[in-house]
Short mmCIF file of all heavy atoms in Angstrom, two decimals:
data_model
loop_
_atom_site.label_atom_id
_atom_site.label_comp_id
_atom_site.label_asym_id
_atom_site.label_seq_id
_atom_site.Cartn_x
_atom_site.Cartn_y
_atom_site.Cartn_z
N GLY A 105 117.75 94.28 91.81
CA GLY A 105 119.11 94.64 92.13
C GLY A 105 119.96 93.40 92.28
O GLY A 105 119.46 92.27 92.26
N ALA A 106 121.28 93.59 92.43
CA ALA A 106 122.19 92.47 92.58
C ALA A 106 121.78 91.62 93.78
O ALA A 106 121.45 92.14 94.85
CB ALA A 106 123.63 92.97 92.75
N GLY A 107 121.79 90.30 93.61
CA GLY A 107 121.43 89.38 94.68
C GLY A 107 119.96 89.03 94.73
O GLY A 107 119.58 88.06 95.38
N SER A 138 117.38 96.82 80.81
CA SER A 138 118.67 97.12 81.42
C SER A 138 119.31 95.84 81.92
O SER A 138 118.69 95.10 82.69
CB SER A 138 118.48 98.11 82.58
OG SER A 138 119.70 98.36 83.25
N VAL A 139 120.53 95.58 81.48
CA VAL A 139 121.28 94.42 81.93
C VAL A 139 122.67 94.91 82.32
O VAL A 139 123.36 95.53 81.51
CB VAL A 139 121.40 93.36 80.81
CG1 VAL A 139 122.23 92.17 81.29
CG2 VAL A 139 120.01 92.90 80.37
N PRO A 140 123.10 94.67 83.57
CA PRO A 140 124.38 95.20 84.03
C PRO A 140 125.56 94.67 83.22
O PRO A 140 125.65 93.46 82.97
CB PRO A 140 124.46 94.71 85.49
CG PRO A 140 123.08 94.33 85.85
CD PRO A 140 122.41 93.90 84.60
N LYS A 141 126.43 95.55 82.79
CA LYS A 141 127.63 95.12 82.10
C LYS A 141 128.55 94.42 83.09
O LYS A 141 128.79 94.91 84.19
CB LYS A 141 128.35 96.33 81.48
CG LYS A 141 127.57 96.97 80.35
CD LYS A 141 128.33 98.13 79.73
CE LYS A 141 127.55 98.73 78.57
NZ LYS A 141 128.26 99.89 77.96
N GLY A 142 129.04 93.26 82.69
CA GLY A 142 129.91 92.51 83.58
C GLY A 142 129.17 91.73 84.65
O GLY A 142 129.79 91.07 85.48
N GLY A 143 127.83 91.81 84.64
CA GLY A 143 127.04 91.06 85.62
C GLY A 143 127.10 89.57 85.34
O GLY A 143 127.27 89.14 84.19
N ARG A 144 126.96 88.78 86.36
CA ARG A 144 127.00 87.33 86.22
C ARG A 144 125.72 86.73 86.76
O ARG A 144 125.27 87.08 87.85
CB ARG A 144 128.21 86.78 86.97
CG ARG A 144 129.55 87.29 86.40
CD ARG A 144 130.70 87.02 87.33
NE ARG A 144 130.63 87.78 88.57
CZ ARG A 144 130.97 89.08 88.70
NH1 ARG A 144 131.39 89.75 87.61
NH2 ARG A 144 130.89 89.69 89.85
N GLY A 145 125.13 85.80 85.99
CA GLY A 145 123.87 85.19 86.40
C GLY A 145 122.70 85.96 85.81
O GLY A 145 122.80 86.60 84.76
N GLY A 146 121.55 85.89 86.48
CA GLY A 146 120.37 86.62 86.04
C GLY A 146 119.61 85.97 84.91
O GLY A 146 118.75 86.61 84.29
N ARG A 147 119.87 84.68 84.64
CA ARG A 147 119.18 84.02 83.54
C ARG A 147 117.71 83.74 83.88
O ARG A 147 117.35 83.61 85.05
CB ARG A 147 119.86 82.69 83.21
CG ARG A 147 121.26 82.80 82.66
CD ARG A 147 121.87 81.43 82.45
NE ARG A 147 121.90 80.66 83.69
CZ ARG A 147 122.32 79.39 83.78
NH1 ARG A 147 122.73 78.77 82.69
NH2 ARG A 147 122.33 78.76 84.94
N GLN A 163 119.69 84.01 78.55
CA GLN A 163 120.58 85.02 79.12
C GLN A 163 120.06 86.40 78.70
O GLN A 163 119.90 86.66 77.51
CB GLN A 163 122.01 84.84 78.61
CG GLN A 163 123.04 85.73 79.28
CD GLN A 163 123.24 85.38 80.75
OE1 GLN A 163 123.33 84.19 81.09
NE2 GLN A 163 123.30 86.37 81.61
N PRO A 164 119.75 87.28 79.66
CA PRO A 164 119.20 88.58 79.28
C PRO A 164 120.20 89.45 78.52
O PRO A 164 121.39 89.46 78.84
CB PRO A 164 118.84 89.21 80.63
CG PRO A 164 119.73 88.54 81.62
CD PRO A 164 119.91 87.14 81.12
N GLU A 166 120.17 93.46 76.65
CA GLU A 166 119.41 94.69 76.43
C GLU A 166 118.88 94.74 75.01
O GLU A 166 119.60 94.46 74.05
CB GLU A 166 120.28 95.91 76.72
CG GLU A 166 120.56 96.12 78.18
CD GLU A 166 121.30 97.42 78.46
OE1 GLU A 166 121.55 98.20 77.50
OE2 GLU A 166 121.64 97.67 79.63
N GLU A 181 117.22 83.81 87.98
CA GLU A 181 118.37 83.65 88.86
C GLU A 181 118.82 85.02 89.39
O GLU A 181 118.69 86.05 88.73
CB GLU A 181 119.55 83.07 88.08
CG GLU A 181 119.41 81.66 87.62
CD GLU A 181 120.64 81.22 86.86
OE1 GLU A 181 121.20 82.02 86.09
OE2 GLU A 181 121.03 80.06 87.04
N ALA A 182 119.39 84.99 90.58
CA ALA A 182 120.06 86.19 91.09
C ALA A 182 121.30 86.46 90.25
O ALA A 182 121.88 85.55 89.65
CB ALA A 182 120.44 85.99 92.55
N PHE A 183 121.71 87.72 90.18
CA PHE A 183 122.95 88.05 89.48
C PHE A 183 123.90 88.77 90.44
O PHE A 183 123.47 89.34 91.45
CB PHE A 183 122.69 88.91 88.23
CG PHE A 183 122.31 90.33 88.51
CD1 PHE A 183 123.27 91.32 88.62
CD2 PHE A 183 120.97 90.69 88.67
CE1 PHE A 183 122.92 92.65 88.87
CE2 PHE A 183 120.61 92.01 88.92
CZ PHE A 183 121.58 92.99 89.03
N THR A 184 125.16 88.72 90.14
CA THR A 184 126.16 89.43 90.92
C THR A 184 126.82 90.46 90.02
O THR A 184 126.91 90.29 88.80
CB THR A 184 127.23 88.48 91.47
OG1 THR A 184 127.86 87.79 90.38
CG2 THR A 184 126.61 87.46 92.42
N SER A 185 127.27 91.55 90.62
CA SER A 185 127.90 92.63 89.86
C SER A 185 128.84 93.39 90.77
O SER A 185 128.59 93.49 91.98
CB SER A 185 126.84 93.58 89.27
OG SER A 185 127.45 94.68 88.64
N ASP A 186 129.90 93.93 90.20
CA ASP A 186 130.83 94.74 90.97
C ASP A 186 130.28 96.14 91.21
O ASP A 186 130.78 96.87 92.08
CB ASP A 186 132.18 94.84 90.24
CG ASP A 186 132.84 93.48 90.10
OD1 ASP A 186 132.64 92.63 91.00
OD2 ASP A 186 133.56 93.26 89.11
N ALA A 187 129.26 96.53 90.45
CA ALA A 187 128.65 97.85 90.61
C ALA A 187 127.55 97.79 91.66
O ALA A 187 126.61 97.01 91.53
CB ALA A 187 128.09 98.35 89.29
N ALA A 190 123.92 98.24 90.32
CA ALA A 190 123.57 97.47 89.13
C ALA A 190 122.09 97.09 89.15
O ALA A 190 121.53 96.77 90.21
CB ALA A 190 124.43 96.22 89.03
N LEU A 191 121.46 97.13 87.98
CA LEU A 191 120.03 96.90 87.88
C LEU A 191 119.72 96.02 86.67
O LEU A 191 120.22 96.26 85.58
CB LEU A 191 119.30 98.24 87.74
CG LEU A 191 117.79 98.26 87.94
CD1 LEU A 191 117.44 97.95 89.38
CD2 LEU A 191 117.24 99.62 87.52
N ARG A 192 118.90 95.00 86.91
CA ARG A 192 118.38 94.17 85.82
C ARG A 192 116.90 94.50 85.70
O ARG A 192 116.13 94.23 86.61
CB ARG A 192 118.57 92.69 86.13
CG ARG A 192 118.01 91.72 85.09
CD ARG A 192 117.96 90.32 85.70
NE ARG A 192 117.56 89.29 84.78
CZ ARG A 192 116.31 89.04 84.39
NH1 ARG A 192 115.31 89.79 84.84
NH2 ARG A 192 116.04 88.05 83.57
#
Side-chain angles (χ1 to χ4, degrees):
S138 176
V139 178
K141 292 182 178 179
R144 297 166 293 281
R147 294 176 302 177
Q163 187 67 43
E166 288 186 3
E181 292 180 321
F183 73 90
T184 58
S185 175
D186 297 329
L191 194 67
R192 177 194 185 282

